[in-house]
């Protein structure tokens, strides 16, 4: 089997050449994998119960590397990314264990239920789809296979490990020690993705620096593409994540978007992103959209951000912030609740980090509060949408700091499953209408921490496209 190697420059060249139809195809394949991930059924190769465990190792030089294996049942992948976090030498393996009394039971969409049952469950009470819980406040950990297509999760501490026969002498966090501690300077992770076929021979080797932000934005666009109104978009951050969120949003919905605000601490970096967007090469997807760069150093920043968020139909948070990016009341006030928004937070990946104020998440899940009865207020769903239940409960600072319970979280794959099932329902079905209306017009908060499965699926598709376009280096007989 030939081996295709894509360097950082080669992968970027390929990604920049993708047509809208090709992006939609990549997104469709990824959505199918996320649906399988959330089934809890080990017969599906992408299911969470079938995914290998992660491992992290911190070397003596203070560099931590995260090993993220994934499988589709046919192909295998291993993403390895490293960054300098100054940690003490040690290693850890993500552990999975059996349930004990009082722990959470994750009830993903059950294979024994009809499509109507699934749609009705999510539409009538969003929180019922994801998790039933004892009120003990413990977190979910790794998942194990269950009966009837359901899966279970439990909170497990990481076992101790060693590097070069040296024992771990500091605690390693639930994020597998993969990221810097509080106060450490964040850097972009460097690494690669190796892809193996059914014969266990490698067929792809991809630089991961550009792949990670691309597949994250591709996932976030799954809900964005279904929104009825996306006239005004606010993006926090000016790095690669921000770039790909803007580019994919305009590629998929450019004719509907009229205004994009780019908000960043450094105005110079935001201006640099704008110069890139306004380059002649980007005219095909940039269209006639009006862009504005906003810095927190602006004298009128408070007024500008209030106005931008008030008008926003979609908000993308793409920063490694350890403090909320804006006050909660800008989205939780009586006036703010009159409008439904898509709020996607993908920048924070450690428990101490948070882009969204915890009160924003608490407000979303507090569906029974008396203030819900104000006239013209958009109905809250009662859940936060995440990519992975287990990972979000361990890593997402917003989820952890807001003390969101597992029953108040629903995986994107679960939502995709129910929406897929709703396609077979009559058009006048009330449950199907309720779900569709929430996805298209309601208030939706999506929190992503990333999964190796995303890299495996999207990376495999990109290798195929690279071969068709003769991009990259090919070793015919590896």
């Amino acid at each position: 089997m030939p081996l295709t190697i894509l360097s950082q420059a080669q992968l970027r060249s390929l990604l920049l050449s993708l047509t809208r139809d090709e992006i939609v195809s990549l997104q469709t394949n990824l959505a199918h994998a996320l649906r399988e991930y959330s089934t809890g059924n080990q017969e599906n190769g992408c299911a969470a119960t079938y995914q290998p465990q992660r491992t992290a190792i911190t070397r003596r030089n203070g560099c931590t590397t995260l090993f993220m294996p994934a499988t589709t049942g046919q192909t295998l992948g291993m993403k390895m990314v490293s960054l300098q976090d100054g940690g003490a030498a040690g290693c850890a393996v993500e552990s999975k264990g059996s349930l004990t009394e009082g722990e959470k039971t994750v009830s993903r969409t059950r294979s024994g239920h009809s499509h109507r049952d699934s749609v009705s469950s999510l539409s009538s009470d969003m929180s019922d789809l994801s998790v039933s819980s004892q009120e003990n406040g413990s977190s979910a950990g790794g998942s194990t296979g269950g009966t009837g297509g359901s899966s279970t999760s439990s909170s497990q501490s990481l076992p101790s490990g060693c590097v070069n026969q040296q024992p771990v002498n500091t605690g390693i966090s639930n994020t597998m020690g993969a990221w810097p501690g509080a106060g450490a300077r964040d850097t972009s992770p460097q690494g690669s993705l190796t892809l193996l076929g059914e014969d266990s021979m490698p067929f792809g080797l991809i630089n991961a620096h550009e792949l990670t932000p691309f597949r994250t934005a591709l996932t976030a666009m799954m809900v964005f593409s279904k929104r009825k109104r996306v006239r005004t978009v606010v993006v926090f951050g000016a790095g690669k994540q921000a770039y790909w969120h803007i580019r994919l949003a305009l590629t998929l919905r450019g004719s509907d978007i009229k205004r994009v605000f780019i908000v960043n601490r450094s105005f110079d970096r935001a201006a640099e992103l704008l110069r890139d967007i306004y380059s002649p090469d980007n005219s095909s997807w940039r269209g006639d959209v009006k862009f504005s760069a906003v810095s927190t150093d602006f004298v009128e920043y408070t007024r500008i951000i209030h106005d931008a968020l008030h008008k926003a139909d979609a908000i993308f948070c793409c920063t490694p912030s350890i403090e909320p990016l804006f006050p909660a009341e800008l989205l939780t006030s009586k006036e703010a609740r009159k409008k439904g928004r898509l709020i996607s937070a993908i920048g924070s990946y450690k428990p101490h980090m948070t882009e969204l104020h915890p009160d924003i998440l608490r407000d979303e899940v507090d569906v029974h509060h008396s203030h819900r009865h104000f006239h013209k207020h958009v109905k809250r769903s009662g859940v936060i949408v995440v990519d992975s239940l287990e990972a979000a409960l361990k890593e997402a600072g917003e989820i952890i700091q807001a003390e969101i319970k597992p029953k108040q979280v629903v995986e994107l794959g679960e939502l995709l499953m129910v929406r897929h099932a709703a396609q077979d329902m009559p058009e006048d079905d009330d449950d199907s209408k309720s779900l569709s209306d929430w996805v298209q017009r309601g208030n939706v908060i999506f929190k992503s921490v990333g999964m190796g499965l995303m890299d495996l699926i999207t990376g495999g598709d990109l290798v195929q496209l690279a071969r068709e376009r003769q991009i990259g280096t090919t070793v015919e007989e590896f």
Side-chain angles (χ1 to χ4, degrees):
M1 177 181 290
L3 170 67
T4 298
I5 303 171
L6 293 174
S7 68
Q8 181 177 340
Q10 290 167 336
L11 177 61
R12 182 170 177 81
S13 174
L14 174 61
L15 294 178
L16 294 179
S17 71
L18 294 175
T19 66
R20 184 184 187 280
D21 288 344
E22 287 169 337
I23 291 172
V24 171
S25 178
L26 291 171
Q27 190 179 61
T28 300
N29 292 342
L30 182 55
H32 177 75
L34 292 178
R35 289 203 305 268
E36 283 199 358
Y37 177 85
S38 293
T39 61
N41 186 350
Q42 198 166 353
E43 293 180 2
N44 293 325
C46 295
T49 53
Y50 197 58
Q51 297 306 307
Q53 299 175 11
R54 299 191 307 179
T55 302
I57 183 171
T58 301
R59 288 172 283 172
R60 287 181 175 275
N61 63 2
C63 182
T64 297
T65 300
L66 178 65
F67 301 82
M68 300 173 62
T71 178
T72 66
Q74 288 79 42
T75 59
L76 300 169
M78 173 67 82
K79 182 179 177 183
M80 295 179 287
V81 289
S82 302
L83 40 73
Q84 196 76 27
D85 63 3
C91 65
V93 179
E94 186 178 52
S95 62
K96 297 182 179 181
S98 58
L99 287 174
T100 59
E101 180 115 11
E103 290 181 315
K104 309 299 187 286
T105 300
V106 180
S107 47
R108 305 178 193 274
T109 302
R110 301 164 181 81
S111 59
H113 282 193
S114 67
H115 285 179
R116 176 175 292 275
D117 290 337
S118 298
V119 174
S120 176
S121 176
L122 186 56
S123 300
S124 61
D125 183 356
M126 297 291 181
S127 63
D128 285 345
L129 175 70
S130 178
V131 178
S132 59
S133 169
Q134 299 282 342
E135 295 297 325
N136 60 10
S138 62
S139 302
S143 60
T144 57
T147 59
S150 65
S151 67
T152 56
S153 298
S154 61
S155 178
Q156 299 290 330
S157 59
L158 296 172
S160 60
C162 62
V163 177
N164 298 328
Q165 298 182 346
Q166 297 298 313
V168 175
N169 51 25
T170 61
I172 296 183
S173 72
N174 284 337
T175 59
M176 307 298 296
W179 311 114
R185 181 178 181 274
D186 288 320
T187 57
S188 298
Q190 303 288 338
S192 64
L193 170 68
T194 303
L195 304 168
L196 294 82
E198 289 187 275
D199 57 0
S200 297
M201 292 296 294
F203 68 87
L205 178 61
I206 305 175
N207 185 292
H209 192 66
E210 198 89 29
L211 175 63
T212 300
F214 175 79
R215 57 82 157 150
T216 303
L218 195 67
T219 304
M221 292 303 123
M222 291 180 188
V223 179
F224 179 82
S225 297
K226 302 300 180 183
R227 302 292 290 181
K228 280 291 185 182
R229 182 181 174 88
V230 291
R231 183 181 179 90
T232 302
V233 177
V234 176
V235 180
F236 287 89
K240 288 185 179 295
Q241 288 283 10
Y243 174 83
W244 281 112
H245 276 74
I246 293 171
R247 180 166 183 137
L248 293 187
L250 267 63
T251 300
L252 297 172
R253 298 289 301 274
S255 61
D256 301 315
I257 301 173
K258 305 303 178 186
R259 187 76 183 269
V260 174
F261 291 90
I262 300 174
V263 186
N264 197 63
R265 286 188 304 174
S266 167
F267 179 77
D268 290 342
R269 191 171 184 186
E272 182 180 347
L273 176 57
L274 276 184
R275 284 193 292 270
D276 186 0
I277 291 173
Y278 274 106
S279 67
D281 293 341
N282 291 328
S283 60
S284 61
W285 59 267
R286 184 182 64 241
D288 298 324
V289 176
K290 181 180 180 180
F291 290 86
S292 298
V294 181
S295 169
T296 54
D297 293 332
F298 283 13
V299 175
E300 293 290 310
Y301 176 76
T302 300
R303 180 189 61 79
I304 294 172
I305 200 65
H306 180 278
D307 183 60
L309 293 179
H310 176 74
K311 296 177 180 177
D313 301 298
I315 302 169
F316 296 118
C317 302
C318 309
T319 76
S321 179
I322 60 175
E323 296 178 351
L325 297 173
F326 50 86
E329 55 266 25
L330 293 185
L331 297 184
T332 61
S333 67
K334 179 180 178 180
E335 183 65 24
R337 291 194 192 99
K338 293 180 180 180
K339 182 174 184 175
R341 300 173 178 85
L342 169 63
I343 307 161
S344 180
I346 57 85
S348 62
Y349 45 79
K350 295 172 283 188
H352 76 282
M353 300 169 69
T354 180
E355 297 179 286
L356 301 177
H357 194 287
D359 286 347
I360 295 175
L361 279 71
R362 296 186 188 112
D363 183 73
E364 181 64 28
V365 301
D366 185 15
V367 294
H368 303 299
H369 198 281
S370 60
H371 64 220
R372 301 299 169 204
H373 302 296
F374 282 123
H375 183 54
K376 292 185 178 180
H377 278 183
V378 174
K379 181 181 178 182
R380 260 46 176 177
S381 63
V383 295
I384 307 299
V385 183
V386 300
D387 47 4
S388 168
L389 172 70
E390 291 80 17
L393 291 172
K394 291 190 294 184
E395 300 177 14
E398 289 90 350
I399 301 288
I400 295 168
Q401 294 179 37
E403 299 181 331
I404 300 299
K405 297 179 174 61
K407 69 177 182 179
Q408 297 168 326
V409 175
V410 61
E411 286 182 344
L412 177 60
E414 296 178 272
L415 184 60
L416 294 171
M417 280 194 297
V418 178
R419 288 190 61 253
H420 182 73
Q423 295 175 2
D424 298 329
M425 304 289 288
E427 291 185 5
D428 59 350
D429 183 83
D430 290 340
D431 293 329
S432 179
K433 278 185 175 181
S434 177
L435 174 61
S436 178
D437 186 64
W438 172 61
V439 172
Q440 295 177 7
R441 301 181 180 85
N443 212 61
V444 180
I445 298 178
F446 173 57
K447 174 60 197 172
S448 173
V449 292
M451 295 187 293
L453 182 64
M454 296 176 181
D455 301 290
L456 174 58
I457 297 297
T458 303
D461 288 343
L462 290 173
V463 165
Q464 181 62 37
L465 286 172
R467 289 177 178 175
E468 293 172 2
R469 299 184 184 182
Q470 297 183 336
I471 295 176
T473 302
T474 300
V475 180
E476 291 297 339
E477 302 204 10
F478 177 73

